[in-house]
Amino acid sequence: LAKTTQPISMDSYEGQEVNITCSHNNIATNDYITWYQQFPSQGPRFIIQGYKTKVTNEVASLFIPADRKSSTLSLPRVSLSDTAVYYCLVGDKAAGNKLTFGGGTRVLVKP
Amino acid sequence: NAGVTQTPKFRILKIGQSMTLQCTQDMNHNYMYWYRQDPGMGLKLIYYSVGAGITDKGEVPNGYNVSRSTTEDFPLRLELAAPSQTSVYFCASSYGQPTTNEKLFFGSGTQLSVL
């Protein structure tokens, strides 16, 4: 049973904003929502994390509605180098420390 | 800080051989994880550890073993290599539980081929 649901892939063009929504209906009360980025042949790396409302850093913004059942990663003005797989990660009360990733969203930025 | 270091980067094994994938971190992290990633697919959890002396199975533990005798090291052992174990293996660590306000740090991976 998947804990998170994301689109499999998204295409965009340089300079556009990319928004990726992740559904996590069973998120635990104390859990944060974390997004990771993975380039080909590399390990994933942390890009942003939040608990509620909006978080922004130099790379992205994260929007979390009040019910916290979903979150949206926003990548402003993407470039070719933003082509990667993006994973949304939340906890699962039933799984405890068994930290599993969903399938991720493959973002392709075209010139 | 070196972060999470994995060795070797590449390895080719024959069917039935055994090997140990090394993972070490210098950040004094308590939580450590082993994932495998098949081509074009997501990450599958093999084993994890929440501290020295404590390990537990993930989603796909069959064919693998781990140990955690120190905080720094979390080696992954393949006893009888099979072609189905051809994959890229990633080790990750975090200080606290990654679903709280912590983050996972990943190594650069070990690409393993079993022929």
Side-chain angles (χ1 to χ4, degrees):
Chain A
L1 185 65
K3 301 189 300 292
T4 61
T5 304
Q6 302 175 232
I8 293 173
S9 64
M10 299 179 72
D11 288 359
S12 184
Y13 291 91
E14 284 189 291
Q16 289 188 334
E17 179 181 80
V18 171
N19 296 305
I20 309 170
T21 296
C22 178
S23 297
H24 30 78
N25 292 318
N26 297 319
I27 186 170
T29 303
N30 297 327
D31 279 349
Y32 281 63
I33 299 154
T34 311
W35 285 79
Y36 292 85
Q37 175 190 54
Q38 185 180 26
F39 297 116
S41 303
Q42 295 185 24
R45 67 170 189 168
F46 170 92
I47 48 174
I48 198 165
Q49 183 181 69
Y51 184 79
K52 61 181 179 181
T53 62
K54 177 184 174 182
V55 180
T56 297
N57 62 21
E58 65 279 4
V59 176
S61 293
L62 179 60
F63 300 91
I64 304 168
D67 66 5
R68 300 193 345 111
K69 293 183 184 295
S70 67
S71 59
T72 299
L73 174 72
S74 180
L75 306 172
R77 298 179 299 281
V78 294
S79 64
L80 297 177
S81 62
D82 292 315
T83 292
V85 179
Y86 294 83
Y87 295 94
C88 158
L89 185 67
V90 301
D92 183 330
K93 271 192 282 191
N97 292 311
K98 193 180 288 188
L99 196 64
T100 59
F101 284 78
T105 299
R106 192 174 300 272
V107 172
L108 174 62
V109 180
K110 303 175 183 177
Chain B
N1 282 349
V4 180
T5 303
Q6 291 185 238
T7 56
K9 293 192 183 302
F10 304 94
R11 184 72 185 267
I12 297 174
L13 283 181
K14 293 183 179 178
I15 295 172
Q17 287 185 320
S18 60
M19 77 164 292
T20 299
L21 282 68
Q22 302 291 345
C23 175
T24 186
Q25 51 88 11
D26 62 359
M27 298 173 283
N28 198 31
H29 283 176
N30 296 305
Y31 290 68
M32 296 189 75
Y33 298 83
W34 273 107
Y35 293 91
R36 60 174 287 175
Q37 187 172 39
D38 298 335
M41 305 297 285
L43 298 154
K44 293 291 186 184
L45 179 65
I46 307 171
Y47 270 96
Y48 66 99
S49 168
V50 300
I54 306 170
T55 63
D56 208 345
K57 296 177 180 179
E59 302 169 280
V60 291
N62 292 342
Y64 307 94
N65 279 300
V66 294
S67 59
R68 185 93 183 270
S69 57
T70 67
T71 299
E72 297 78 18
D73 300 306
F74 191 40
L76 178 71
R77 178 84 177 163
L78 282 71
E79 290 295 348
L80 290 169
S84 60
Q85 293 177 304
T86 294
S87 191
V88 180
Y89 292 82
F90 290 104
C91 178
S93 73
S94 65
Y95 183 75
Q97 191 173 15
T99 55
T100 62
N101 59 341
E102 294 281 349
K103 61 178 97 168
L104 275 173
F105 293 82
F106 282 82
S108 57
T110 294
Q111 188 169 323
L112 176 67
S113 295
V114 182
L115 305 175

Coordinates of all heavy atoms in Angstrom, one line a residue, chain A residues 53-83:
Chain A
T53 N 1.9 25.0 6.1 CA 1.9 26.2 5.3 C 2.9 26.2 4.2 O 2.9 25.4 3.4 CB 2.0 27.4 6.3 OG1 3.3 27.4 6.9 CG2 0.9 27.4 7.3
K54 N 3.8 27.2 4.2 CA 4.7 27.4 3.1 C 6.2 27.5 3.6 O 6.4 28.1 4.6 CB 4.4 28.6 2.3 CG 5.3 28.9 1.2 CD 4.9 30.2 0.5 CE 5.9 30.6 -0.6 NZ 5.6 31.9 -1.2
V55 N 7.0 26.8 2.9 CA 8.5 26.9 3.2 C 9.2 27.3 1.9 O 8.8 26.7 0.8 CB 9.0 25.6 3.7 CG1 10.5 25.7 4.0 CG2 8.3 25.1 5.0
T56 N 10.1 28.2 2.0 CA 10.9 28.5 0.8 C 12.4 28.6 1.1 O 12.8 29.0 2.1 CB 10.5 29.9 0.3 OG1 9.1 29.9 -0.1 CG2 11.3 30.4 -0.9
N57 N 13.2 28.0 0.2 CA 14.6 28.2 0.3 C 15.2 28.6 -1.1 O 14.4 29.0 -2.0 CB 15.3 26.9 0.8 CG 15.1 25.7 -0.1 OD1 14.8 25.8 -1.3 ND2 15.2 24.5 0.4
E58 N 16.5 28.6 -1.2 CA 17.1 29.1 -2.5 C 16.8 28.2 -3.7 O 17.0 28.6 -4.8 CB 18.6 29.2 -2.3 CG 19.3 27.9 -2.0 CD 19.3 27.4 -0.6 OE1 18.5 28.0 0.2 OE2 19.9 26.4 -0.3
V59 N 16.3 27.0 -3.5 CA 16.1 26.0 -4.5 C 14.6 25.9 -4.9 O 14.3 25.8 -6.1 CB 16.6 24.6 -4.2 CG1 16.3 23.6 -5.2 CG2 18.1 24.7 -3.9
A60 N 13.7 25.9 -3.9 CA 12.3 25.5 -4.2 C 11.4 26.1 -3.1 O 11.9 26.7 -2.1 CB 12.2 24.0 -4.2
S61 N 10.1 26.0 -3.3 CA 9.1 26.3 -2.3 C 8.3 25.0 -2.1 O 8.1 24.2 -3.0 CB 8.2 27.4 -2.8 OG 8.9 28.6 -2.9
L62 N 7.7 24.9 -0.9 CA 6.9 23.8 -0.6 C 5.6 24.4 0.0 O 5.6 25.1 1.0 CB 7.6 22.9 0.4 CG 6.9 21.7 1.0 CD1 6.5 20.8 -0.2 CD2 7.7 20.9 2.0
F63 N 4.5 24.0 -0.5 CA 3.2 24.4 -0.1 C 2.4 23.2 0.6 O 2.3 22.2 -0.1 CB 2.4 25.0 -1.2 CG 3.0 26.1 -1.9 CD1 3.9 26.0 -3.0 CD2 2.8 27.4 -1.5 CE1 4.5 27.0 -3.6 CE2 3.4 28.5 -2.1 CZ 4.2 28.3 -3.2
I64 N 2.0 23.4 1.8 CA 1.3 22.4 2.5 C 0.0 22.9 3.0 O -0.1 23.9 3.8 CB 2.1 21.9 3.7 CG1 3.5 21.4 3.2 CG2 1.4 20.7 4.4 CD1 4.5 21.2 4.3
P65 N -1.2 22.4 2.6 CA -2.5 22.8 3.0 C -2.7 22.5 4.5 O -2.0 21.7 5.1 CB -3.5 22.1 2.1 CG -2.8 20.9 1.7 CD -1.3 21.2 1.6
A66 N -3.8 23.1 5.0 CA -4.0 22.9 6.5 C -4.3 21.4 6.9 O -3.8 21.0 7.9 CB -5.2 23.7 6.9
D67 N -4.9 20.6 6.0 CA -5.2 19.2 6.3 C -3.9 18.3 6.2 O -3.9 17.2 6.6 CB -6.3 18.7 5.6 CG -6.1 18.6 4.1 OD1 -4.9 18.8 3.6 OD2 -7.0 18.2 3.3
R68 N -2.9 18.8 5.5 CA -1.6 18.2 5.4 C -1.7 16.8 4.6 O -0.8 16.0 4.7 CB -0.9 17.9 6.7 CG -0.7 19.2 7.5 CD 0.3 19.1 8.7 NE 0.5 17.8 9.2 CZ 1.7 17.2 9.2 NH1 2.7 17.8 8.6 NH2 1.9 16.1 9.7
K69 N -2.8 16.6 3.9 CA -2.9 15.4 3.2 C -2.3 15.4 1.8 O -2.2 14.4 1.1 CB -4.4 15.0 3.0 CG -5.1 14.7 4.3 CD -6.5 14.3 4.1 CE -7.3 14.1 5.4 NZ -6.7 12.9 6.1
S70 N -1.7 16.5 1.4 CA -0.9 16.6 0.2 C 0.1 17.7 0.4 O 0.1 18.5 1.4 CB -1.8 17.0 -1.0 OG -2.4 18.3 -0.8
S71 N 1.0 17.8 -0.5 CA 2.0 18.9 -0.6 C 2.4 19.1 -2.0 O 2.3 18.2 -2.8 CB 3.2 18.6 0.3 OG 3.9 17.4 -0.1
T72 N 2.8 20.4 -2.3 CA 3.2 20.7 -3.7 C 4.6 21.3 -3.6 O 4.9 22.3 -3.0 CB 2.2 21.7 -4.3 OG1 0.9 21.1 -4.4 CG2 2.7 22.1 -5.7
L73 N 5.5 20.7 -4.4 CA 6.8 21.2 -4.6 C 6.8 22.1 -5.8 O 6.4 21.7 -6.8 CB 7.8 20.1 -4.8 CG 9.3 20.5 -5.2 CD1 10.0 21.0 -3.9 CD2 10.0 19.3 -5.7
S74 N 7.3 23.3 -5.6 CA 7.4 24.3 -6.7 C 8.8 24.6 -7.0 O 9.6 25.1 -6.2 CB 6.6 25.6 -6.3 OG 6.6 26.5 -7.4
L75 N 9.2 24.4 -8.3 CA 10.5 24.8 -8.8 C 10.4 26.0 -9.7 O 9.8 25.9 -10.8 CB 11.1 23.6 -9.5 CG 11.2 22.3 -8.8 CD1 11.6 21.2 -9.7 CD2 12.1 22.4 -7.6
P76 N 10.8 27.1 -9.3 CA 10.6 28.4 -10.1 C 11.7 28.4 -11.2 O 12.8 28.1 -11.1 CB 10.9 29.5 -9.1 CG 11.8 28.9 -8.1 CD 11.5 27.4 -8.0
R77 N 11.2 28.8 -12.4 CA 12.1 29.1 -13.5 C 13.1 28.0 -13.7 O 14.3 28.2 -13.5 CB 12.8 30.4 -13.3 CG 11.8 31.6 -13.3 CD 12.6 32.9 -13.1 NE 13.3 33.0 -11.8 CZ 12.8 33.2 -10.6 NH1 11.5 33.4 -10.5 NH2 13.5 33.2 -9.5
V78 N 12.7 26.8 -14.1 CA 13.6 25.7 -14.2 C 14.6 25.8 -15.3 O 14.3 26.5 -16.3 CB 12.8 24.4 -14.4 CG1 12.0 24.0 -13.1 CG2 11.9 24.4 -15.6
S79 N 15.7 25.2 -15.2 CA 16.7 25.1 -16.2 C 16.9 23.6 -16.6 O 16.4 22.7 -15.9 CB 18.0 25.7 -15.7 OG 18.5 25.0 -14.6
L80 N 17.7 23.4 -17.6 CA 18.0 22.0 -18.0 C 18.6 21.2 -16.9 O 18.3 20.0 -16.8 CB 19.0 22.0 -19.2 CG 18.5 22.7 -20.5 CD1 19.6 22.7 -21.6 CD2 17.2 22.1 -21.0
S81 N 19.3 21.8 -16.0 CA 20.0 21.1 -14.9 C 19.0 20.7 -13.8 O 19.4 19.9 -12.9 CB 21.0 22.0 -14.3 OG 20.5 23.1 -13.7
D82 N 17.7 21.1 -13.9 CA 16.7 20.6 -13.0 C 16.1 19.3 -13.4 O 15.2 18.7 -12.7 CB 15.6 21.7 -12.8 CG 16.1 22.9 -12.1 OD1 16.8 22.8 -11.1 OD2 15.8 24.0 -12.6
T83 N 16.5 18.8 -14.6 CA 16.0 17.5 -15.0 C 16.5 16.4 -14.0 O 17.7 16.2 -13.8 CB 16.5 17.2 -16.4 OG1 15.9 18.0 -17.4 CG2 16.2 15.7 -16.8

